[in-house]
Amino acid sequence: MDRLLRLARLFGVDRRELAVRTRLHLPCYADGAGAVSYWEAASVVISNALRLRKDQWAVRDLVPRREYALSELEFRQIGDDAGRVFDSLHYLRNARRGSLNFALVDKDTGAPLTLCSASPLEWKRVADQVVQQFGVPQAAVWDVSRVYSFDGAPPNAVSYLLARVRKFLQKRGDVELLTTVVDPNLGFTGSSYLASNWQLWMTVRARPYLYYRGRYMSLRQMWAAFPSVRSIDELCALDRKARRSQVELRDSLIFCCRIRGATERVLPEHQHRILR
């Protein structure tokens, strides 16, 4: 895949972002063993490069023209710009509505370089495990559901932003814990979270990826588009344009962060695996 990703320069898109989108869509064409033909892989890379170039153009006024140092940025709560960035450039391509959005922005122009959104945790199975194992009520748990950093942001921008969000929520007084989901199938490791007081507390068995007309579709998008459908398999059985991944995916990682004090490390043998 590394050879194919060299096409990023030809299309004028960020190689890192293209790699994430490609990893998200390759399972649509992989067999149960994870094998994909060269030409199918090439098609996935090219189609995602074209889509990414179009998405970048849609927010061209926000794309930074140079690299920034952390000292040139300041922390702010932001509004509409976050939705534009998440809807266009985040690999899931849909902002979480009703969230609080935060960013490190250019001090002079206010343009966001690194962004995240946070909202009360809605994932009941994760919430139930947090309550049972750690004694934190669901009402006091918030979820960081989106994170995005432009290519011009400094390397430590994400961890710094997360630290500032933690301080912001300390002042609210009603939040005790932050959670987030990291998908290792897309090349994410959670290193930025570990660098800012987060710890891996549990894992969740991976659900197959869903694709509609060859494009990834999240469960939220599926429920919005097909209100009567309750599962990926049901949609695939009803609609020939829907397809699910066949290859076995790695479990999602649930990282957590105490709003006050150090976040305790949970040893691997004490990390529960939540079943779907």
Side-chain angles (χ1 to χ4, degrees), residues 9-66:
R9 179 175 296 181
L10 177 64
F11 287 95
V13 298
D14 181 75
R15 178 172 173 149
R16 177 193 58 180
E17 293 182 38
L18 180 58
V20 173
R21 292 195 182 195
T22 298
R23 291 189 181 102
L24 182 63
H25 285 89
L26 278 176
C28 181
Y29 304 93
D31 59 23
V36 183
S37 74
Y38 176 85
W39 295 112
E40 284 179 320
S43 175
V44 171
V45 172
I46 292 171
S47 63
N48 277 280
L50 290 170
R51 183 70 175 271
L52 179 55
R53 185 168 66 181
K54 180 180 179 181
D55 291 340
Q56 289 178 337
W57 182 253
V59 291
R60 59 192 179 277
D61 56 311
L62 297 177
V63 176
R65 302 290 186 264
R66 63 181 179 87

Side-chain angles (χ1 to χ4, degrees), residues 107-165:
K107 291 180 179 179
D108 297 324
T109 67
L113 271 292
T114 299
L115 311 84
C116 74
S117 62
S119 56
L121 177 65
E122 298 178 355
W123 196 347
K124 189 175 187 305
R125 294 195 178 183
V126 172
D128 288 346
Q129 186 61 43
V130 168
V131 173
Q132 177 184 339
Q133 188 174 358
F134 303 99
V136 182
Q138 181 173 348
V141 183
W142 276 43
D143 180 52
V144 175
S145 56
R146 299 287 183 272
V147 176
Y148 183 83
S149 194
F150 281 102
D151 191 41
N156 56 343
V158 172
S159 57
Y160 181 75
L161 173 62
L162 292 171
R164 292 301 306 267
V165 169

